[in-house]
Amino acid sequence: MRSRPTRLALAAVAALAVAGLGAPALTSPAAAGPGKASTAKPGKANKPAKPTEVRFATFNASLNRGTAGRLIADLSAPGNAQASGAAETIQRADADVILVNEFDYEPDGEAAELFRDNYLAVGQNGAAPVDYPYYYVAESNTGIPTGFDLNNNGTVGGGDDAFGFGLFPGQYGMVVYSKYPIAADEVRTFQHFLWKDMPGALLPDDPAIPGKADWYSPEELEVFRLSSKSHWDVPIKLPGRKPVHFLVSHPTPPTFDGDEDRNGRRNHDEIRFWADYVTGGSAASYIYDDEGGTGGLGRGQDFVIAGDQNADPFDGDSYDDAILQLLDHPRIQDPAPTAPGGVEAAVRDGQENIAHVGPDAQDTADFADAFPAKPTDPRNPGNLRVDYVLPSERLAIRDTGIFWPTSADPLFARLIGVYQFPVTDHRLVWLDLGISRTHGR
C-alpha cells in the first residue's frame, strides 16, 4: 500500500512548466511521419531524422456523440469547435504515438480518418499540423446488446444491459494514432474475453439473495465480457529496436451501480488484466485473445500501458486500490507526471477536493466537485488522477507531463476552461522515452 501524501499547495508547483473483433490496422501514405519538425511540443525539442526518443500519450478527448453517425457528421468538414479543440490539444503535445479514448467506433476507420485528415493534419489556432500515417481502430463492446437484464431492473435493453455501457454500438470507443508503423499482423485484441474466465474474478454479489457472486446468472456469465470497451496490444515498430507494445484500454467507471459494486469490481479486474498480461507466465496462462492465441507478454518485451483507467491511487471510488495493481507492479514504472493547472483547479473548485489526500498536481480529470444535497445521495468524485502512460521497467524515461495549463495561460479558455468544458473534462498525459537499441530483437 502506498503512503498517503499531504496535499500540494498551489505555490509548491507554481514553477512547473506547462507545457471488438478488431478491424485490421489501417495506413495512409499521405503524411510525412517521423522526423517532421514541430515547434509546439511542450518540453521536447524537434525530433532528428533518426530520433533518440519517442513520445507516447493518452487523451480522453470526449469525441463521443449521443447518436450513431453523429461523429461522422461532425468530422466530415473542418469547423466543429470541440473537435478543433481536441485536435489542437493533440497538436500541441505532438505525441509520436497516442491513444484517444471516447472516440466513437465507425467501421472501416471512417471517423478515425476524418479526424486525422480534417483536423489533425490541419493547423488549429496557430498550432502546427501533426501527421499520423498509421492508426489502429477496432470494435468496442459499448452499446452492443446482450439480450439480458444485466442491471437487474426488471427490463432488458438500454446502455446498462449492453456488453459495455453505450447508447449505440461503438459509442465511447477508442483509436490509436502513430507516426511509426504498426505491426498489424501482431496486434492482439481481447474484446470477447469472458470475465468469468479470469481466475479469482471479483464477480459481484446480489445482497438481496443467498449465495455469493450471484449478481449475474450463470447464463449471463456465459456471455459477459470483461472489457467494457476492449483491451488491445498494439505493437509499434520503432527504428533500430524491437517493437514497443502499446497496451491500451478504457475500464468502466467504478460508479453508476449499487451495493453490489458491479462496476467497481469490473474496473478492478479490467485493470488487473494488464497486470497479469505483463507478468506473463502462469499468471497470464488464462488469457486468450480474439483469434484464439493464449498467454501474456514475454518477459523480454517492452511495453507502454495507456488509457483512462478511471481509478485514482488515493481518492475516488475505485475498488480495493485498483490502480495500484499497475503502479506498484515490479515490471511497471510510474512517471508521476504533474501540471500546475491541476493544483489551481483543486483550489478553485474546492468542495470534495478539500478532503482529497492525493497530490493535486497529478490530477488528470476535472470531475464534479459539489457535496451531495442529502447525506444519502452519492458523493461526487472531485478532481482525480485517472489517465496514465506507464512504461515497462527497462525503458528510459526522459520527460513526462500533463497538458493542464493554468488560467493565466492564453490556451486555457479555449482548450481547458471550467465546467462545462470547451473540449473535455480530461487532460492529455504524455511521456518521452529513450529508444536506444535493446536486446531481444
Side-chain angles (χ1 to χ4, degrees):
M1 182 68 65
R2 293 190 164 200
S3 61
R4 304 280 178 166
T6 58
R7 290 169 58 83
L8 296 184
L10 180 60
V13 293
L16 291 174
V18 173
L21 187 59
L26 303 174
T27 63
S28 166
K36 179 177 173 59
S38 171
T39 59
K41 186 170 295 185
K44 180 177 180 183
N46 296 336
K47 297 185 297 296
K50 293 184 178 180
T52 59
E53 65 182 40
V54 171
R55 174 164 291 187
F56 288 84
T58 188
F59 184 37
N60 183 328
S62 297
L63 285 166
N64 58 281
R65 299 296 186 258
T67 56
R70 184 67 223 180
L71 184 61
I72 292 290
D74 286 350
L75 300 179
S76 292
N80 180 272
Q82 191 258 342
S84 175
E88 182 182 350
T89 302
I90 294 171
Q91 289 170 346
R92 294 195 180 279
D94 193 18
D96 300 298
V97 185
I98 185 169
L99 166 68
V100 181
N101 283 134
E102 296 200 1
F103 188 98
D104 291 347
Y105 170 75
E106 294 286 351
D108 302 320
E110 185 177 4
E113 293 188 2
L114 288 172
F115 184 56
R116 181 188 65 181
D117 297 343
N118 290 339
Y119 288 88
L120 296 174
V122 179
Q124 307 290 329
N125 293 296
V130 62
D131 296 318
Y132 290 115
Y134 310 98
Y135 69 90
Y136 183 82
V137 67
E139 285 185 348
S140 172
N141 281 327
T142 48
I144 298 177
T146 64
F148 289 100
D149 179 17
L150 298 181
N151 62 0
N152 292 347
N153 69 348
T155 62
V156 175
D160 263 350
D161 291 336
F163 283 114
F165 182 84
L167 302 180
F168 57 87
Q171 189 182 30
Y172 307 110
M174 55 188 184
V175 59
V176 170
Y177 290 103
S178 179
K179 296 181 181 180
Y180 296 101
I182 292 170
D185 292 341
E186 300 173 25
V187 171
R188 299 180 73 187
T189 65
F190 304 91
Q191 180 193 4
H192 296 93
F193 178 85
L194 298 181
W195 192 0
K196 71 177 182 63
D197 291 338
M198 172 179 278
L202 294 176
L203 299 172
D205 177 67
D206 189 340
I209 60 176
K212 296 182 178 180
D214 55 9
W215 179 266
Y216 299 115
S217 69
E219 294 77 15
E220 290 168 344
L221 290 176
E222 285 299 319
V223 301
F224 196 99
R225 302 170 183 178
L226 172 65
S227 295
S228 54
K229 286 82 178 175
S230 192
H231 285 65
W232 302 341
D233 176 348
V234 182
I236 306 297
K237 298 166 67 175
L238 301 178
R241 65 161 355 262
K242 64 182 180 179
V244 171
H245 292 258
F246 200 37
L247 308 180
V248 301
S249 59
H250 184 189
T252 192
T255 53
F256 310 113
D257 51 21
D259 292 340
E260 82 290 345
D261 201 11
R262 66 187 188 277
N263 290 331
R265 289 167 174 265
R266 188 182 192 184
N267 171 274
H268 178 283
D269 282 358
E270 288 195 72
I271 294 171
R272 176 192 158 188
F273 182 91
W274 285 138
D276 290 346
Y277 190 75
V278 302
T279 299
S282 59
S285 61
Y286 70 89
I287 292 174
Y288 53 86
D289 61 38
D290 293 329
E291 298 292 337
T294 59
L297 203 60
R299 291 288 294 178
Q301 303 303 308
D302 295 320
F303 61 85
V304 173
I305 298 174
D308 174 3
Q309 303 295 327
N310 272 313
D312 183 288
F314 302 107
D315 302 301
D317 195 32
S318 65
Y319 183 93
D320 196 23
D321 294 319
I323 196 61
L324 297 189
Q325 297 175 104
L326 302 182
L327 299 186
D328 289 349
H329 194 290
R331 287 210 65 199
I332 299 172
Q333 301 181 76
D334 178 11
T338 59
V343 178
E344 181 188 54
V347 173
R348 178 185 63 237
D349 297 342
Q351 300 188 89
E352 290 287 359
N353 296 288
I354 296 172
H356 283 186
V357 296
D360 300 328
Q362 292 182 16
D363 288 344
T364 68
D366 193 343
F367 292 145
D369 313 282
F371 292 123
K374 297 181 296 185
T376 55
D377 290 343
R379 295 188 64 174
N380 286 311
N383 303 344
L384 299 174
R385 181 189 183 191
V386 295
D387 305 272
Y388 299 86
V389 186
L390 304 172
S392 53
E393 79 281 15
R394 300 190 307 165
L395 292 173
I397 297 173
R398 299 286 179 81
D399 203 359
T400 187
I402 303 165
F403 186 77
W404 198 338
T406 66
S407 58
D409 191 289
L411 300 177
F412 180 85
R414 185 169 66 249
L415 301 183
I416 306 297
V418 296
Y419 184 81
Q420 298 182 2
F421 304 98
V423 179
T424 177
D425 53 358
H426 289 256
R427 308 292 167 246
L428 184 148
V429 180
W430 55 271
L431 172 69
D432 291 341
L433 295 173
I435 59 166
S436 59
R437 185 188 303 273
T438 61
H439 299 293
R441 284 191 66 204

